[in-house]
Short mmCIF file of all heavy atoms in Angstrom, two decimals:
data_model
loop_
_atom_site.label_atom_id
_atom_site.label_comp_id
_atom_site.label_asym_id
_atom_site.label_seq_id
_atom_site.Cartn_x
_atom_site.Cartn_y
_atom_site.Cartn_z
N SER H 2 -72.81 -67.29 -92.05
CA SER H 2 -73.45 -67.04 -90.76
C SER H 2 -72.83 -67.86 -89.62
O SER H 2 -72.93 -67.45 -88.47
CB SER H 2 -74.95 -67.30 -90.86
OG SER H 2 -75.21 -68.61 -91.31
N GLY H 3 -72.18 -68.97 -89.93
CA GLY H 3 -71.56 -69.79 -88.90
C GLY H 3 -70.17 -69.33 -88.49
O GLY H 3 -69.60 -69.83 -87.53
N VAL H 4 -69.60 -68.38 -89.21
CA VAL H 4 -68.24 -67.90 -88.91
C VAL H 4 -68.34 -66.62 -88.09
O VAL H 4 -68.97 -65.66 -88.50
CB VAL H 4 -67.43 -67.67 -90.21
CG1 VAL H 4 -66.08 -67.03 -89.90
CG2 VAL H 4 -67.23 -68.99 -90.95
N LEU H 5 -67.69 -66.62 -86.94
CA LEU H 5 -67.71 -65.47 -86.05
C LEU H 5 -66.58 -64.49 -86.33
O LEU H 5 -66.74 -63.29 -86.16
CB LEU H 5 -67.61 -65.94 -84.59
CG LEU H 5 -68.70 -66.91 -84.13
CD1 LEU H 5 -68.40 -67.41 -82.73
CD2 LEU H 5 -70.07 -66.25 -84.20
N ALA H 6 -65.41 -65.02 -86.74
CA ALA H 6 -64.24 -64.16 -86.98
C ALA H 6 -63.26 -64.85 -87.91
O ALA H 6 -63.20 -66.07 -87.97
CB ALA H 6 -63.54 -63.82 -85.66
N VAL H 7 -62.49 -64.03 -88.62
CA VAL H 7 -61.43 -64.50 -89.51
C VAL H 7 -60.19 -63.66 -89.24
O VAL H 7 -60.28 -62.43 -89.16
CB VAL H 7 -61.83 -64.37 -91.00
CG1 VAL H 7 -60.65 -64.66 -91.90
CG2 VAL H 7 -63.00 -65.28 -91.33
N GLU H 8 -59.05 -64.32 -89.12
CA GLU H 8 -57.77 -63.63 -88.95
C GLU H 8 -56.81 -64.16 -90.01
O GLU H 8 -56.42 -65.34 -89.97
CB GLU H 8 -57.19 -63.91 -87.56
CG GLU H 8 -55.83 -63.32 -87.34
CD GLU H 8 -55.15 -63.81 -86.06
OE1 GLU H 8 -55.73 -64.63 -85.32
OE2 GLU H 8 -54.00 -63.37 -85.84
N LEU H 9 -56.45 -63.32 -90.97
CA LEU H 9 -55.49 -63.72 -92.00
C LEU H 9 -54.11 -63.87 -91.37
O LEU H 9 -53.68 -63.00 -90.61
CB LEU H 9 -55.44 -62.70 -93.12
CG LEU H 9 -56.64 -62.71 -94.07
CD1 LEU H 9 -56.56 -61.55 -95.04
CD2 LEU H 9 -56.72 -64.02 -94.81
N LEU H 10 -53.43 -64.96 -91.70
CA LEU H 10 -52.10 -65.22 -91.16
C LEU H 10 -51.00 -64.97 -92.19
O LEU H 10 -49.84 -64.80 -91.82
CB LEU H 10 -52.01 -66.67 -90.65
CG LEU H 10 -53.00 -67.02 -89.55
CD1 LEU H 10 -52.91 -68.50 -89.21
CD2 LEU H 10 -52.76 -66.17 -88.30
N THR H 11 -51.36 -65.00 -93.47
CA THR H 11 -50.41 -64.71 -94.54
C THR H 11 -51.01 -63.64 -95.44
O THR H 11 -52.21 -63.66 -95.71
CB THR H 11 -50.07 -65.97 -95.37
OG1 THR H 11 -51.28 -66.53 -95.86
CG2 THR H 11 -49.33 -66.99 -94.54
N PRO H 12 -50.19 -62.72 -95.91
CA PRO H 12 -50.70 -61.69 -96.81
C PRO H 12 -50.83 -62.22 -98.23
O PRO H 12 -50.29 -63.27 -98.57
CB PRO H 12 -49.62 -60.61 -96.74
CG PRO H 12 -48.36 -61.38 -96.46
CD PRO H 12 -48.78 -62.54 -95.60
N GLY H 13 -51.55 -61.48 -99.04
CA GLY H 13 -51.59 -61.80 -100.46
C GLY H 13 -52.92 -62.36 -100.93
O GLY H 13 -53.87 -62.49 -100.15
N PRO H 14 -52.94 -62.71 -102.22
CA PRO H 14 -54.19 -63.18 -102.83
C PRO H 14 -54.51 -64.62 -102.43
O PRO H 14 -53.68 -65.32 -101.84
CB PRO H 14 -53.89 -63.09 -104.33
CG PRO H 14 -52.41 -63.30 -104.42
CD PRO H 14 -51.85 -62.64 -103.18
N TYR H 15 -55.70 -65.05 -102.82
CA TYR H 15 -56.12 -66.44 -102.59
C TYR H 15 -55.31 -67.33 -103.52
O TYR H 15 -55.44 -67.27 -104.74
CB TYR H 15 -57.61 -66.58 -102.88
CG TYR H 15 -58.15 -67.94 -102.47
CD1 TYR H 15 -58.70 -68.12 -101.21
CD2 TYR H 15 -58.10 -69.02 -103.33
CE1 TYR H 15 -59.18 -69.35 -100.82
CE2 TYR H 15 -58.57 -70.25 -102.94
CZ TYR H 15 -59.11 -70.42 -101.69
OH TYR H 15 -59.58 -71.64 -101.30
N GLN H 16 -54.44 -68.13 -102.92
CA GLN H 16 -53.59 -69.05 -103.67
C GLN H 16 -53.05 -70.10 -102.70
O GLN H 16 -53.17 -69.93 -101.48
CB GLN H 16 -52.43 -68.29 -104.32
CG GLN H 16 -51.50 -67.64 -103.32
CD GLN H 16 -50.44 -66.78 -103.99
OE1 GLN H 16 -50.49 -66.53 -105.17
NE2 GLN H 16 -49.48 -66.32 -103.20
N PRO H 17 -52.46 -71.19 -103.22
CA PRO H 17 -51.90 -72.19 -102.32
C PRO H 17 -50.92 -71.56 -101.34
O PRO H 17 -50.12 -70.70 -101.71
CB PRO H 17 -51.20 -73.17 -103.28
CG PRO H 17 -52.03 -73.08 -104.54
CD PRO H 17 -52.39 -71.61 -104.63
N GLY H 18 -51.05 -71.97 -100.08
CA GLY H 18 -50.20 -71.42 -99.02
C GLY H 18 -50.88 -70.36 -98.18
O GLY H 18 -50.43 -70.08 -97.07
N LEU H 19 -51.98 -69.76 -98.69
CA LEU H 19 -52.70 -68.76 -97.90
C LEU H 19 -53.23 -69.44 -96.64
O LEU H 19 -53.83 -70.51 -96.70
CB LEU H 19 -53.87 -68.17 -98.70
CG LEU H 19 -54.70 -67.12 -97.94
CD1 LEU H 19 -53.90 -65.83 -97.78
CD2 LEU H 19 -56.01 -66.85 -98.66
N ARG H 20 -52.99 -68.80 -95.48
CA ARG H 20 -53.43 -69.35 -94.19
C ARG H 20 -54.25 -68.32 -93.43
O ARG H 20 -53.98 -67.13 -93.51
CB ARG H 20 -52.21 -69.76 -93.36
CG ARG H 20 -51.44 -70.91 -93.94
CD ARG H 20 -50.20 -71.33 -93.12
NE ARG H 20 -50.22 -70.95 -91.72
CZ ARG H 20 -49.38 -70.07 -91.16
NH1 ARG H 20 -48.47 -69.45 -91.86
NH2 ARG H 20 -49.47 -69.81 -89.88
N TRP H 21 -55.23 -68.83 -92.66
CA TRP H 21 -56.04 -67.97 -91.81
C TRP H 21 -56.59 -68.79 -90.66
O TRP H 21 -56.63 -70.00 -90.69
CB TRP H 21 -57.16 -67.30 -92.61
CG TRP H 21 -58.25 -68.22 -93.08
CD1 TRP H 21 -59.45 -68.46 -92.47
CD2 TRP H 21 -58.26 -69.02 -94.28
NE1 TRP H 21 -60.19 -69.36 -93.21
CE2 TRP H 21 -59.48 -69.70 -94.32
CE3 TRP H 21 -57.34 -69.22 -95.31
CZ2 TRP H 21 -59.82 -70.59 -95.35
CZ3 TRP H 21 -57.67 -70.09 -96.32
CH2 TRP H 21 -58.89 -70.75 -96.34
N ARG H 22 -57.00 -68.06 -89.62
CA ARG H 22 -57.72 -68.67 -88.50
C ARG H 22 -59.19 -68.31 -88.65
O ARG H 22 -59.52 -67.14 -88.89
CB ARG H 22 -57.20 -68.16 -87.16
CG ARG H 22 -55.92 -68.79 -86.74
CD ARG H 22 -55.58 -68.49 -85.27
NE ARG H 22 -54.21 -68.83 -85.02
CZ ARG H 22 -53.19 -67.96 -85.02
NH1 ARG H 22 -53.42 -66.68 -85.21
NH2 ARG H 22 -51.97 -68.38 -84.82
N GLU H 23 -60.02 -69.31 -88.49
CA GLU H 23 -61.45 -69.13 -88.63
C GLU H 23 -62.11 -69.57 -87.33
O GLU H 23 -61.88 -70.69 -86.87
CB GLU H 23 -61.94 -69.99 -89.80
CG GLU H 23 -63.37 -69.83 -90.14
CD GLU H 23 -63.71 -70.63 -91.40
OE1 GLU H 23 -63.33 -70.18 -92.50
OE2 GLU H 23 -64.32 -71.70 -91.26
N THR H 24 -62.90 -68.70 -86.73
CA THR H 24 -63.61 -69.03 -85.49
C THR H 24 -65.07 -69.23 -85.81
O THR H 24 -65.71 -68.36 -86.41
CB THR H 24 -63.44 -67.91 -84.44
OG1 THR H 24 -62.04 -67.74 -84.18
CG2 THR H 24 -64.16 -68.27 -83.14
N ARG H 25 -65.59 -70.39 -85.42
CA ARG H 25 -66.99 -70.75 -85.63
C ARG H 25 -67.61 -71.16 -84.31
O ARG H 25 -66.92 -71.51 -83.37
CB ARG H 25 -67.11 -71.97 -86.56
CG ARG H 25 -66.79 -71.71 -87.99
CD ARG H 25 -66.96 -73.00 -88.79
NE ARG H 25 -66.81 -72.75 -90.20
CZ ARG H 25 -67.82 -72.64 -91.05
NH1 ARG H 25 -69.06 -72.80 -90.63
NH2 ARG H 25 -67.61 -72.40 -92.32
N LYS H 26 -68.92 -71.16 -84.31
CA LYS H 26 -69.63 -71.73 -83.18
C LYS H 26 -70.10 -73.12 -83.62
O LYS H 26 -70.87 -73.25 -84.57
CB LYS H 26 -70.82 -70.87 -82.78
CG LYS H 26 -71.43 -71.26 -81.46
CD LYS H 26 -72.34 -70.19 -80.92
CE LYS H 26 -72.71 -70.55 -79.49
NZ LYS H 26 -73.53 -69.52 -78.88
N MET H 27 -69.57 -74.14 -82.98
CA MET H 27 -69.91 -75.53 -83.28
C MET H 27 -70.24 -76.25 -81.98
O MET H 27 -69.53 -76.09 -80.99
CB MET H 27 -68.75 -76.25 -83.97
CG MET H 27 -68.43 -75.76 -85.37
SD MET H 27 -69.65 -76.21 -86.60
CE MET H 27 -69.42 -77.96 -86.71
N PHE H 28 -71.30 -77.02 -82.00
CA PHE H 28 -71.72 -77.77 -80.82
C PHE H 28 -71.90 -76.86 -79.61
O PHE H 28 -71.59 -77.22 -78.48
CB PHE H 28 -70.72 -78.89 -80.49
CG PHE H 28 -70.40 -79.78 -81.67
CD1 PHE H 28 -69.14 -79.73 -82.26
CD2 PHE H 28 -71.36 -80.62 -82.20
CE1 PHE H 28 -68.85 -80.53 -83.35
CE2 PHE H 28 -71.06 -81.42 -83.29
CZ PHE H 28 -69.82 -81.38 -83.86
N GLY H 29 -72.35 -75.63 -79.87
CA GLY H 29 -72.62 -74.68 -78.80
C GLY H 29 -71.38 -74.00 -78.23
O GLY H 29 -71.48 -73.27 -77.25
N MET H 30 -70.21 -74.26 -78.82
CA MET H 30 -68.97 -73.68 -78.31
C MET H 30 -68.22 -73.00 -79.45
O MET H 30 -68.37 -73.37 -80.60
CB MET H 30 -68.07 -74.76 -77.71
CG MET H 30 -68.69 -75.50 -76.54
SD MET H 30 -67.59 -76.78 -75.89
CE MET H 30 -67.43 -77.88 -77.28
N LYS H 31 -67.38 -72.02 -79.09
CA LYS H 31 -66.50 -71.40 -80.08
C LYS H 31 -65.33 -72.34 -80.35
O LYS H 31 -64.76 -72.90 -79.42
CB LYS H 31 -65.95 -70.07 -79.58
CG LYS H 31 -66.93 -68.93 -79.63
CD LYS H 31 -66.22 -67.65 -79.22
CE LYS H 31 -67.18 -66.50 -79.15
NZ LYS H 31 -66.50 -65.27 -78.73
N ALA H 32 -64.99 -72.47 -81.62
CA ALA H 32 -63.83 -73.27 -82.00
C ALA H 32 -63.06 -72.51 -83.08
O ALA H 32 -63.66 -71.99 -84.01
CB ALA H 32 -64.28 -74.62 -82.54
N THR H 33 -61.76 -72.43 -82.91
CA THR H 33 -60.91 -71.75 -83.87
C THR H 33 -59.99 -72.77 -84.52
O THR H 33 -59.33 -73.54 -83.83
CB THR H 33 -60.08 -70.64 -83.20
OG1 THR H 33 -60.98 -69.71 -82.60
CG2 THR H 33 -59.19 -69.92 -84.20
N GLU H 34 -59.98 -72.77 -85.84
CA GLU H 34 -59.14 -73.68 -86.62
C GLU H 34 -58.25 -72.87 -87.53
O GLU H 34 -58.67 -71.84 -88.07
CB GLU H 34 -60.00 -74.62 -87.47
CG GLU H 34 -60.94 -75.50 -86.69
CD GLU H 34 -60.24 -76.56 -85.85
OE1 GLU H 34 -59.09 -76.93 -86.17
OE2 GLU H 34 -60.85 -77.01 -84.88
N GLU H 35 -57.03 -73.35 -87.73
CA GLU H 35 -56.15 -72.74 -88.72
C GLU H 35 -56.36 -73.46 -90.05
O GLU H 35 -56.26 -74.68 -90.12
CB GLU H 35 -54.69 -72.84 -88.29
CG GLU H 35 -53.78 -72.10 -89.23
CD GLU H 35 -52.35 -72.00 -88.73
OE1 GLU H 35 -52.16 -71.65 -87.55
OE2 GLU H 35 -51.44 -72.26 -89.53
N MET H 36 -56.68 -72.69 -91.07
CA MET H 36 -57.00 -73.23 -92.38
C MET H 36 -55.89 -72.83 -93.36
O MET H 36 -55.23 -71.81 -93.16
CB MET H 36 -58.31 -72.64 -92.89
CG MET H 36 -59.41 -72.51 -91.85
SD MET H 36 -60.16 -74.06 -91.45
CE MET H 36 -61.31 -74.16 -92.78
N MET H 37 -55.73 -73.65 -94.42
CA MET H 37 -54.74 -73.34 -95.44
C MET H 37 -55.25 -73.78 -96.80
O MET H 37 -55.85 -74.86 -96.94
CB MET H 37 -53.42 -74.03 -95.15
CG MET H 37 -52.34 -73.63 -96.15
SD MET H 37 -50.77 -74.50 -95.90
CE MET H 37 -51.13 -76.04 -96.68
#
């Protein structure tokens, strides 16, 4: 419920090296982080 959007940056299955951007609402503001 805290995640507003997800953008996959690398194709393929869940494994080391998979990257995505995750946008959440934190402290009343939208924040996007790149996760790996």
Side-chain angles (χ1 to χ4, degrees):
S2 57
V4 174
L5 302 174
V7 171
E8 176 191 0
L9 286 173
L10 300 175
T11 55
Y15 188 93
Q16 63 186 9
L19 180 71
R20 293 180 22 246
W21 70 96
R22 282 192 194 98
E23 185 175 285
T24 302
R25 288 180 174 259
K26 191 165 190 177
M27 292 289 291
F28 309 110
M30 299 179 297
K31 283 185 185 179
T33 301
E34 299 292 337
E35 186 172 313
M36 319 285 278
M37 185 183 80

